[in-house]
Amino acid sequence: ETGVTQTPRHLVMGMTNKKSLKCEQHLGHNAMYWYKQSAKKPLELMFVYNFKEQTENNSVPSRFSPECPNSSHLFLHLHTLQPEDSALYLCASSQDGGGTEPNTEAFFGQGTRLTVV
Amino acid sequence: AQKVTQAQTEISVVEKEDVTLDCVYETRDTTYYLFWYKQPPSGELVFLIRRNSFDEQNEISGRYSWNFQKSTSSFNFTITASQVVDSAVYFCALRIASNTGKLIFGQGTTLQVKP
């Protein structure tokens, strides 16, 4: 396994379902991110985790719930989603320099294509 | 506030043509980083280059070159002798040094290279 791996690659769920997206990074990084990519919109940062602690929540609705059990794994739990939540969800990781060193560039997974019906 | 603008939504060229993708950014921070990523149809964003705000030296990597000009807040990307495999969506992004890891992306430019 290399880089950042996301599962599943595709997901179709109903509005009353509960599902989870999984991200795993094999790069030894200490920071992980969830981004949302909707059609015709820039990538939007959703959540940031540094050293397993959530450091940013970009006003994301509570129907999206992140979990970071360790620095290699990141989950996004989904429940009662809306059709407008259909998008490509991208996970990324980077090495946070902790203020003394610049962060490395972010490495992205292939994303989960989510369709809410 | 920080912002990245990629004014070109779609560009179509014929193979072997040169093409330049524009990127203009806004920030009041004096220390920041600029990036270019490529997103092929498979979905993942592939890192191409990182530039910090103190390094205005242009860079060339094979057929790729980047022109960073602080005076115009631009970080343009040129592909020389384009190939069909260059077809993808290209994103320019900004990260300020004080903001841990957060990338601010432009809307992306879809490049289509026709044979």
Side-chain angles (χ1 to χ4, degrees):
Chain A
E1 293 283 1
T2 59
V4 181
T5 305
Q6 290 187 243
T7 54
R9 293 292 311 280
H10 301 272
L11 178 63
V12 179
M13 60 186 288
M15 289 189 282
T16 58
N17 291 160
K18 290 184 180 180
K19 296 286 184 182
S20 296
L21 309 185
K22 179 182 176 182
C23 176
E24 185 174 0
Q25 59 98 358
H26 307 275
L27 301 167
H29 290 162
N30 56 20
M32 297 187 76
Y33 315 83
W34 280 116
Y35 283 85
K36 176 183 178 182
Q37 186 177 22
S38 305
K40 301 184 186 297
K41 292 178 69 175
L43 280 89
E44 304 170 71
L45 179 68
M46 299 175 72
F47 301 104
V48 180
Y49 277 82
N50 284 87
F51 300 97
K52 302 185 298 178
E53 299 297 321
Q54 187 181 128
T55 56
E56 185 153 350
N57 176 336
N58 223 23
S59 302
V60 180
S62 59
R63 57 185 184 269
F64 295 91
S65 174
E67 178 189 2
C68 188
N70 55 62
S71 57
S72 298
H73 294 85
L74 184 65
F75 295 90
L76 188 63
H77 304 300
L78 316 171
H79 65 96
T80 59
L81 294 191
Q82 304 297 313
E84 59 264 30
D85 296 322
S86 299
L88 180 68
Y89 289 85
L90 288 159
C91 174
S93 71
S94 70
Q95 184 64 22
D96 180 356
T100 58
E101 295 289 333
N103 287 18
T104 65
E105 54 273 14
F107 290 84
F108 286 79
Q110 290 187 301
T112 295
R113 175 69 64 187
L114 174 67
T115 303
V116 182
V117 297
Chain B
Q2 294 80 36
K3 185 180 178 182
V4 176
T5 301
Q6 295 178 253
Q8 304 149 308
T9 304
E10 295 183 18
I11 301 176
S12 181
V13 299
V14 177
E15 209 170 17
K16 299 184 181 177
E17 285 186 12
D18 298 347
V19 58
T20 295
L21 283 61
D22 298 333
C23 174
V24 174
Y25 63 92
E26 297 176 28
T27 180
R28 293 184 178 180
D29 288 69
T30 56
T31 303
Y32 52 88
Y33 298 87
L34 296 164
F35 301 80
W36 275 96
Y37 283 87
K38 174 183 179 180
Q39 186 178 39
S42 54
E44 81 277 20
L45 272 75
V46 178
F47 166 76
L48 296 178
I49 190 171
R50 178 180 76 176
R51 256 295 173 260
N52 72 51
S53 53
F54 298 107
D55 183 2
E56 286 194 73
Q57 188 173 10
N58 293 327
E59 181 157 338
I60 298 174
S61 176
R63 296 184 297 107
Y64 295 170
S65 63
W66 291 269
N67 182 277
F68 175 28
Q69 293 197 355
K70 289 180 74 171
S71 60
T72 56
S73 298
S74 64
F75 186 44
N76 296 338
F77 173 31
T78 297
I79 302 175
T80 304
S82 59
Q83 299 176 1
V84 173
V85 293
D86 296 327
S87 297
V89 183
Y90 290 85
F91 291 94
C92 181
L94 166 71
R95 188 182 76 209
I96 57 177
S98 60
N99 196 322
T100 308
K102 178 179 178 179
L103 288 169
I104 299 160
F105 284 89
Q107 290 195 297
T109 297
T110 300
L111 174 65
Q112 184 181 33
V113 182
K114 299 177 181 178

